[in-house]
Amino acid sequence: MPRLGTITLIVFLMFVIAVWKTASIPATASASKEIFTDITEQAGITWQQFGGESPDRFLIETMGGGVAFFDADNDGLLDMFFVNGGETPHGKSPLPLSNALYRNLGNGRFENVTAKAGLDKLNFYGMGVAAADFDNDGYQDLYVTGYPASALYHNNHDGTFTDVTDKAGVKNAGKWAAGAAWFDYDRDGFLDLIVTNYAQFSFEDPKHCELNRARAYCAQTAYIGLPLTLYHNNGDGTFSDVSRRSGFDKLIGRGLGVVAIDVNDDGWPDLFIARDASPNLLLINKHDGTFEDVALDADVAYDQNGTAKSGMGVDAGDVNGDGIPDFVVTNFNDQYHSLFGGSKSLPFSDRTSASHLANLTRSLVGWGAKFLDYDNDGNLDLLLVNGHINPEIESTRADVKYKEPALLLRNNGDGVFEDMRELAGTTFQRSYLGRALAIGDFDNDGDPDAIFTTLNGPPVLLRNNVGHDSSWVGFSLQGTVSNRDAIGAKITVNSSGRSLTRWIAGGGSYLAAHDKRVLVGLGPTAKPVNADIRWPSGIVQHLSGLNPRQYHHLVEPAPPVSSNKP
């Protein structure tokens, strides 16, 4: 009996220890909700991208699938627009092909209104999209890039769009256009348009390459790069091609992602352009219609060995809280996705290894990239979508896959990232041929949601489940002297001793357009906040006592009256 009592005591103690261990597991590991949930199917999204995959292995087949979050009908709810690819000479679709406009119904579901809107026709092989109000009429318009042309669709205010490409003069004829961004480079109050052209291309010139004795897509270096296109908005519904006047016609390379943001804090928008096996560009606005490329001096053009990486997507944001924009660029496997720390003076600092981005992305081919504060703690986190181009890669590399996972990386506040795969949701434990990535608060609950496209497949719509648990403040800006979308504005929020800087950038990510509203995470505080807004025109507005957990619609004030008497 003493022996039995000892055994009973041991069993009882083991039970107590087990209960104690279970109780001591952090809530985030035991009973937390996933950060993002894939709601594509329940939202009613059935569209799929078609790239025209064929035995010819045209490189363009691997690169498309643009997406935009934008409010097409001004009902206060973000809608979604998807850009299809198209057929190739030997890559035909069994079903009719269409772009897609999905109207947000406000209940977590979307309605396909593409045909009704007049956006269903494919007039060229599609790539990306840029959304903005180019004529300041209060409605968002769409610019769709592709080959061998691009198109501008004007919003008619009634749920329909009109193709005004020829009238506007922005066809970009004969070029393979990839990225595009709206920005007001001369600060005249009208949005101009930058188009990143990729390479010389023709469906009549298939290039032959093999990988492990199988027909494969040729490297990008088999294609000769193209110069950029810059269109100046004349303010009357037309544009002038100022590529030569600005010097952009001399910037030849394989351009892809583009983001417009004020790099040097002089109040004028600059450009960072990610290029594929061509040196990246950092173009500083000279205030006279020209730009200076300082990428070499900034140490962002090449890697440390003097090699131009395979840059695809790019985004800008303040990841370390110093009020200066930093940049992320997605690259090919073995090159790592790059993180460049911005500085008041050149060069920038390469934070790729110190941020842990090198270890996290070594085996990945990256495309869409976007800074976002998914948990509203005030620190900008990072979402990346990845996917290879050659199915044959798995026959030659054990560590590199064709389909690849998306990454949700949490920022510790100093620009060091942690992979949130285990908590992010089932989407981040699967693999995709990810391409374009857009960010926006489609359910208006105060946290950033996401949508990304996949090659030859359906998009993935991700609802954020955790951000609204923290406090936040939102800004919806309406320019008057500035462009109506206030693209180029700088917002600084002061809360609980912290200064948080955000911008309304043009472009960003890869082939994508984003929610123009700005969300600023505040963490646990519930106190009203103060904010300073520098509008694109240069007007500075001071605001105090802004209530958290709501969007504030702000109209640009009139410029101060000059005290100088005539």
Side-chain angles (χ1 to χ4, degrees), residues 250-364:
K250 296 180 176 62
L251 300 174
I252 298 173
R254 289 168 287 268
L256 289 174
V258 54
V259 63
I261 194 169
D262 184 3
V263 173
N264 55 3
D265 203 33
D266 66 352
W268 293 74
D270 311 300
L271 295 168
F272 193 117
I273 297 171
R275 300 202 299 179
D276 192 4
S278 303
N280 296 326
L281 301 174
L282 183 58
L283 304 176
I284 300 301
N285 193 325
K286 303 300 291 181
H287 312 177
D288 60 0
T290 67
F291 293 75
E292 179 186 3
D293 181 18
V294 300
L296 195 60
D297 292 335
D299 279 352
V300 300
Y302 303 93
D303 67 10
Q304 66 272 22
N305 299 314
T307 302
K309 290 185 176 183
S310 301
M312 266 81 86
V314 61
D315 196 37
D318 180 13
V319 299
N320 59 354
D322 63 358
I324 300 172
D326 310 299
F327 297 90
V328 61
V329 181
T330 53
N331 300 300
F332 214 73
N333 59 265
D334 302 325
Q335 296 180 344
Y336 322 121
H337 301 354
S338 302
L339 181 67
F340 299 111
S343 171
K344 292 183 179 179
S345 60
L346 303 181
F348 290 173
S349 59
D350 189 334
R351 298 278 302 165
T352 305
S353 294
S355 67
H356 297 169
L357 207 54
N359 288 337
L360 293 167
T361 64
R362 177 176 180 176
S363 64
L364 302 176

Side-chain angles (χ1 to χ4, degrees), residues 77-78 104 440-447 449 463-464 517:
L77 299 170
L78 288 180
N104 190 337
D441 182 10
F442 77 82
D443 51 4
N444 289 337
D445 65 348
D447 55 33
D449 308 298
R463 184 189 62 215
N464 189 326
R517 298 172 299 177

Side-chain angles (χ1 to χ4, degrees), residues 183-196:
F183 74 129
D184 184 6
Y185 75 83
D186 56 355
R187 303 204 321 182
D188 65 351
F190 292 94
L191 289 172
D192 310 301
L193 181 64
I194 171 70
V195 181
T196 63

Side-chain angles (χ1 to χ4, degrees), residues 313-315 328-331 336-339 356-358 360-362 364-372 381-387 404-409 417 419 427-428 432 434-437 439 450 452 462 509:
V314 61
D315 196 37
V328 61
V329 181
T330 53
N331 300 300
Y336 322 121
H337 301 354
S338 302
L339 181 67
H356 297 169
L357 207 54
L360 293 167
T361 64
R362 177 176 180 176
L364 302 176
V365 176
W367 303 86
K370 201 76 178 72
F371 290 117
L372 74 167
D381 311 302
L382 183 58
L383 184 56
L384 303 163
V385 294
N386 309 286
E404 300 177 345
L407 296 180
L408 178 64
L409 306 181
F417 294 105
D419 189 354
T427 296
F428 296 87
Y432 302 87
R435 291 300 185 262
L437 166 69
I439 300 298
F452 67 88
L462 297 173
S509 189

